[in-house]
Amino acid sequence: MLGSIFYFATEHWAAVLFILFIAYSLRNRFHHGLHRYPGPFLASLTDWSRFFDVLGRRPDIAHINLHKQYGDIVRLGPNVLSFANLAAIKAIYGLNQGFSKQAMAKGMRLPSLFSTTDEQFHAQLRKSVQSTLSMSALVQYEPWVDDKTATFLDKQKVGQIPVLDLFLLKNPILRMLDRFDLNPFTSAVAKFAQARIGEWVGGIHTAKTSGHGANTTLADRGDLLSMFLKATAEQPGFFYDGRVLVMAVSMAFAGSDTTVISLAAVFYYLVKTPESYRKLVEKIDGEVTAGVIEDRPNGLVSWTESQRLPYLDACIKEAFRLHPAVGLPLERIVPEQGAEICGEHIAGGTIVGSSAWVIHRRPEVFGDDVDVYRA
């Protein structure tokens, strides 16, 4: 029996492959009953459509257009639904809803606050560092931020050399090597974090052994790294050295990615909207003249002073609305028993999510001119 099946398959391999392809496509098409939701036909058969959206570097725009065409619920893949309704946010991302994160990598991983799919681990890790990331603690880091900002502003006076960028970070050969892990760009972040940890711990050891800092502790410096190192002393069984490295790398990535994107968006829209830029400068200059803001040589404004600038706050939030730092939906997996989202029962195991780019352009919330910067 098996021999005859094997003979038939080898003799008619093209037909067999075609039948398997049709079966696979039908399975994807009707998976979890998602065929009842609109979306591109190709998306119901394969995830390649999602791949090409990302490859085009503007999946955010693609998702906006898809929701304009198909409505509040769009099928992005054989097992993926995107929601544009505001009610979906609470259902998917609310506390204790049972939705888990979609795993984004395989192999050996050191889970962080951003990557872990274990809610209990996330809660324990967050508890270990929540005091470090509280607003009262973040304000204490302001002198460190101001120091680096002043250095950045000073360096800008030298000018930029775009040609060198083509030979360095944007060098196509280096980018190709990066794909094969022969010249990984991201390792520099981990190496930087390891070096800073070594310097800080070594500095404490030197101070204590020399007798000049016998009472020096991990928290004396008061920056993020020292707070993470302090957690290892308070919770040695859970917050070991590897966790310190993970948190340090996470902070470096978060600071060099989402923060930079958001800051760039603020400046971009202000430059593109001269009237808003002029008004903001007038507001800040007026507060400086009135003595509300200190007139510093480097032009920096403190966090406390910035809270007295409501128009600056409006400019920042409007830029965040038009250009969210994350361009993809934050995917979650529906719990095994299924869940109701926007009046629809979604089968367990389905990947769901909402894109900030789509949500921030809801006309019933932000008006008909949702694509206009209105600060």
Side-chain angles (χ1 to χ4, degrees):
M1 181 65 179
L2 291 177
S4 59
I5 294 176
F6 178 78
Y7 174 78
F8 177 85
T10 54
E11 286 293 311
H12 306 280
W13 61 268
V16 171
L17 288 178
F18 179 74
I19 293 173
L20 290 176
F21 172 76
I22 294 298
Y24 175 78
S25 299
L26 288 174
R27 181 262 182 192
N28 284 349
R29 171 68 180 167
F30 296 96
H31 186 62
H32 283 162
L34 300 188
H35 63 282
R36 65 184 189 272
Y37 298 108
F41 180 74
L42 181 62
S44 68
L45 305 180
T46 174
D47 278 316
W48 279 104
S49 60
R50 300 173 67 203
F51 170 80
F52 286 117
D53 283 343
V54 175
L55 185 65
R57 296 181 180 272
R58 291 313 302 263
D60 45 332
I61 302 301
H63 294 160
I64 290 173
N65 293 333
L66 286 173
H67 278 285
K68 285 181 179 179
Q69 180 178 354
Y70 295 108
D72 284 354
I73 305 178
V74 177
R75 190 178 188 183
L76 298 181
N79 193 40
V80 184
L81 292 178
S82 174
F83 289 82
N85 195 302
L86 297 178
I89 297 177
K90 185 175 181 180
I92 297 173
Y93 305 109
L95 294 175
N96 302 317
Q97 295 296 323
F99 290 74
S100 59
K101 290 182 180 180
Q102 166 75 341
M104 299 185 68
K106 295 181 179 180
M108 182 179 180
R109 293 175 289 175
L110 290 174
S112 68
L113 285 172
F114 305 102
S115 64
T116 181
T117 59
D118 187 326
E119 291 191 6
Q120 290 186 341
F121 173 83
H122 183 275
Q124 186 175 2
L125 183 56
R126 184 178 61 184
K127 183 179 180 180
S128 301
V129 299
Q130 63 183 4
S131 61
T132 303
L133 302 175
S134 66
M135 181 54 69
S136 58
L138 291 176
V139 173
Q140 295 178 22
Y141 308 146
E142 188 173 8
W144 302 95
V145 176
D146 287 347
D147 178 64
K148 297 301 178 287
T149 303
T151 300
F152 171 77
L153 293 174
D154 183 62
K155 294 294 183 182
Q156 291 304 293
K157 297 175 184 177
V158 178
Q160 299 180 9
I161 310 177
V163 175
L164 288 181
D165 194 40
L166 296 176
F167 288 97
L168 299 175
L169 289 180
K170 293 184 176 64
N171 187 316
I173 297 176
L174 295 179
R175 287 292 181 181
M176 182 178 67
L177 293 175
D178 179 47
R179 294 181 182 179
F180 297 98
D181 291 329
L182 298 177
N183 181 48
F185 281 67
T186 53
S187 64
V189 177
K191 291 177 180 177
F192 175 81
Q194 287 178 314
R196 300 294 80 72
I197 292 172
E199 287 176 4
W200 186 212
V201 175
I204 293 176
H205 177 72
T206 300
K208 289 186 174 182
T209 54
S210 65
H212 297 295
N215 297 320
T216 302
T217 66
L218 293 172
D220 283 344
R221 184 168 175 174
D223 57 14
L224 281 170
L225 179 55
S226 63
M227 294 298 103
F228 295 150
L229 290 169
K230 180 183 177 184
T232 63
E234 297 175 345
Q235 302 182 58
F238 175 75
F239 211 91
Y240 58 95
D241 291 347
R243 297 250 192 273
V244 175
L245 178 60
V246 168
M247 291 303 301
V249 171
S250 296
M251 294 300 103
F253 273 121
S256 62
D257 190 6
T258 55
T259 304
V260 170
I261 292 171
S262 298
L263 286 172
V266 172
F267 289 114
Y268 171 80
Y269 283 107
L270 283 173
V271 171
K272 277 200 66 176
T273 318
E275 180 60 27
S276 297
Y277 178 79
R278 180 194 60 78
K279 183 177 178 181
L280 178 60
V281 172
E282 287 181 356
K283 293 284 187 182
I284 295 176
D285 287 345
E287 294 299 306
V288 172
T289 302
V292 176
I293 296 177
E294 182 181 342
D295 187 7
R296 299 177 178 85
N298 57 18
L300 294 183
V301 176
S302 72
W303 163 255
T304 302
E305 292 169 343
S306 71
Q307 300 307 291
R308 302 168 192 156
L309 297 169
Y311 187 66
L312 171 63
D313 185 62
C315 290
I316 293 173
K317 289 180 177 177
E318 180 66 354
F320 287 4
R321 179 186 74 82
L322 281 173
H323 198 107
V326 180
L328 292 167
L330 300 177
E331 297 180 349
R332 296 292 185 270
I333 302 176
V334 176
E336 184 178 353
Q337 68 274 17
E340 184 173 305
I341 306 175
C342 299
E344 298 282 337
H345 180 77
I346 309 300
T350 304
I351 300 172
V352 296
S354 293
S355 167
W357 282 79
V358 175
I359 296 294
H360 289 181
R361 283 166 171 76
R362 296 290 296 192
E364 68 271 25
V365 178
F366 299 103
D368 294 330
D369 54 345
V370 291
D371 293 315
V372 178
Y373 183 78
R374 300 168 301 180

